[in-house]
Amino acid sequence: MSPPLPGPLAALEPLLGHYGYWAVGAVVFVEDFGVPAPGETILLAAGVYAGAGRLNVVAVAVIAFVAAVAGDNLGYLIGRAGGRAFVHRWGRYVFLTPKRFEAAEAFFARHGGKIVTVARFVEGLRQANGIIAGTTGMRWRRFLAFNALGAALWVGLWTTLAYLAGNHITAVYDEVRRYQLYVLLAAAVAVAGLVVRHVARRRRER
């Protein structure tokens, strides 16, 4: 039997131990359309479990990726169909107040598609990402592409670190979060570079 999960991950041990992959998929899914659920935490816990041989790390990553993309797309549909009125009426029940939503929407509008990818790593934006994309009228295919990229990077990072670090993951997580701003800036620059290159190529083709 593997040792207990460390630090704040321990609270998820009964849920993860009893439901396994179902818990990973369900928690990541509901978090991604606005419900305040510990999606990132359960992903870390599942990675530690996989490292201890209690779960398969590939299955954890695939399930988390599918759940993340599906949850954000449900959020997109909610935002697209209900718009700002829906968020203003019901958002407070999941801590998405009008003030927080407007600030996130303004940030989202300034940075366009690339923020969909980077938002995956930002608490608050991760949960509202799909809803904001829907309310601002972003094309679904564009949203899907950037969202899938962000989900792949997010799942890959935390699943791999948790799998390799094992019971030291909380210390590793704290260190990564400490330098998160630099990581996000680097990711934003990389995504922006890809977008600029794509736009330049399209213009040359025309």
Side-chain angles (χ1 to χ4, degrees):
M1 183 174 178
S2 60
L5 292 170
L9 303 184
L12 291 172
E13 191 154 12
L15 178 66
L16 194 57
H18 187 72
Y19 294 103
Y21 301 113
W22 287 103
V24 177
V27 175
V28 171
F29 175 72
V30 299
E31 183 198 40
D32 280 5
F33 61 87
V35 177
E40 197 163 80
T41 306
I42 202 165
L43 186 59
L44 292 172
V48 174
Y49 261 36
R54 297 176 66 176
L55 292 173
N56 181 282
V57 68
V58 175
V60 168
V62 170
I63 289 169
F65 171 77
V66 172
V69 173
D72 270 342
N73 275 272
L74 178 57
Y76 178 89
L77 290 174
I78 292 171
R80 191 82 175 195
R84 293 174 182 81
F86 180 89
V87 175
H88 290 166
R89 182 175 181 181
W90 301 105
R92 64 182 182 275
Y93 295 109
V94 293
F95 307 108
L96 187 60
T97 62
K99 185 176 180 180
R100 289 181 63 187
F101 178 76
E102 286 169 10
E105 191 175 44
F107 184 73
F108 191 98
R110 284 197 304 272
H111 296 281
K114 62 182 180 294
I115 199 59
V116 174
T117 299
V118 178
R120 170 63 55 181
F121 295 88
V122 182
E123 194 68 30
L125 276 180
R126 181 168 64 250
Q127 292 82 354
N129 190 20
I131 296 174
I132 296 170
T135 59
T136 55
M138 174 179 273
R139 289 187 297 111
W140 177 73
R141 288 185 180 179
R142 177 177 170 82
F143 169 75
L144 179 63
F146 281 105
N147 176 245
L149 174 60
L153 293 173
W154 180 71
V155 170
L157 173 66
W158 293 126
T159 303
T160 302
L161 284 180
Y163 180 78
L164 296 175
N167 278 1
H168 301 291
I169 186 57
T170 52
V172 174
Y173 181 73
D174 289 341
E175 285 298 311
V176 172
R177 296 284 287 187
R178 183 179 303 173
Y179 297 103
Q180 184 184 59
L181 177 61
Y182 302 105
V183 174
L184 292 177
L185 288 173
V189 169
V191 173
L194 291 174
V195 172
V196 169
R197 188 176 68 174
H198 175 73
V199 171
R201 184 180 299 170
R202 289 285 296 274
R203 287 180 177 177
R204 284 197 301 268
E205 289 174 355
R206 290 176 183 174

